[in-house]
Amino acid sequence: MRGTFTHANPDFLEDIKVMLDLGFNELSMEPVVCGEDDPARLTDEDMPIVMEQYEKLAELMIERDAAGKPFTFYHYMIDLKGGPCIYKRISGCGSGTEYMAVTPWGDLYPCHQFVGEEKFLLGNIYDGVKNTAVQNDFAACNVYSREECRGCWARLYCSGGCAANAYHATGSVRGVYKYGCELFKKRIECALMVAIHREFDQ
């Protein structure tokens, strides 16, 4: 079950608890990404609340593990022993190159978050990919194409972040959604906490 938290509900752990009470154990709560003038936009004032929520979520996962009621949170799924190959660590999700979104009428977009953005229309299922310039732009999206990412400790976990989030926040698929970066790093810290607990506290 997937939800989205916004400026209206930065205390998203309460939503997670409701999902659990409803019997869902495979969960995701995504931070909203929207324009600067959107009232749903997460603000600087929301940041400490969200950071605390991620920590409390990790604590809740550990508590529920001990009680024999574990659950999965999408952003805390991390493999301490293997993980993705180096190519995936560098290139990320593969939107526009390894997979595409297909609309009901057969149009192809790099991913579902670009559907309706006509400049990202790649082609269609009948004629194939025609907009190779956009496809090549996505192929070049990797952690080393973003100057801000090169020295970041989390770069091989996020691979430079989501191209759609970058575009909607900065106007470029190779941009960096800085607010999202901070949230991502916090999620990785908390994911490591849960993973280490599960590995060694058995």
Side-chain angles (χ1 to χ4, degrees):
M1 187 177 188
R2 182 196 184 283
T4 300
F5 64 88
T6 71
H7 177 62
N9 65 321
D11 55 340
F12 66 86
L13 186 59
E14 296 308 309
D15 301 293
I16 291 284
K17 290 176 180 177
V18 170
M19 293 176 180
L20 291 168
D21 288 343
L22 291 171
F24 294 95
N25 293 313
E26 303 282 333
L27 306 177
S28 175
M29 279 294 288
E30 308 278 344
V32 69
V33 178
C34 52
E36 288 291 316
D37 57 347
D38 194 312
R41 180 180 66 89
L42 291 167
T43 66
D44 290 340
E45 290 72 29
D46 295 326
M47 178 74 80
I49 300 170
V50 174
M51 295 294 199
E52 182 183 45
Q53 292 292 289
Y54 281 130
E55 290 180 3
K56 288 183 175 179
L57 171 60
E59 291 169 0
L60 177 63
M61 293 180 76
I62 290 170
E63 288 172 13
R64 285 182 61 102
D65 282 352
K69 298 178 180 178
F71 68 96
T72 299
F73 183 68
Y74 175 75
H75 285 302
Y76 287 10
M77 295 172 68
I78 192 167
D79 184 351
L80 294 177
K81 296 181 179 177
C85 66
I86 189 64
Y87 173 78
K88 290 303 296 178
R89 291 184 188 190
I90 293 171
S91 65
C93 72
S95 58
T97 55
E98 295 177 29
Y99 76 90
M100 299 172 202
V102 184
T103 68
W105 44 95
D107 286 341
L108 300 173
Y109 288 89
C111 86
H112 69 282
Q113 294 193 70
F114 290 101
V115 170
E117 304 260 7
E118 290 306 303
K119 72 178 183 178
F120 291 106
L121 177 63
L122 296 173
N124 59 63
I125 59 172
Y126 307 103
D127 304 315
V129 173
K130 299 294 185 182
N131 194 347
T132 55
V134 166
Q135 190 174 51
N136 290 339
D137 201 23
F138 275 80
C141 269
N142 65 66
V143 71
Y144 294 112
S145 69
R146 298 173 172 92
E147 187 66 34
E148 299 96 324
C149 300
R150 293 184 183 183
C152 176
W153 66 267
R155 65 188 181 279
L156 296 182
Y157 287 103
C158 81
S159 308
C162 170
N165 287 356
Y167 173 72
H168 292 123
T170 70
S172 169
V173 296
R174 297 196 212 182
V176 172
Y177 174 42
K178 293 183 179 179
Y179 197 105
C181 284
E182 295 307 309
L183 297 187
F184 190 94
K185 286 185 279 189
K186 187 63 176 181
R187 289 195 299 263
I188 290 298
E189 289 175 3
C190 293
L192 288 168
M193 171 180 156
V194 173
I196 290 169
H197 178 271
R198 287 177 170 174
E199 179 70 19
F200 296 107
D201 193 34
Q202 299 294 328

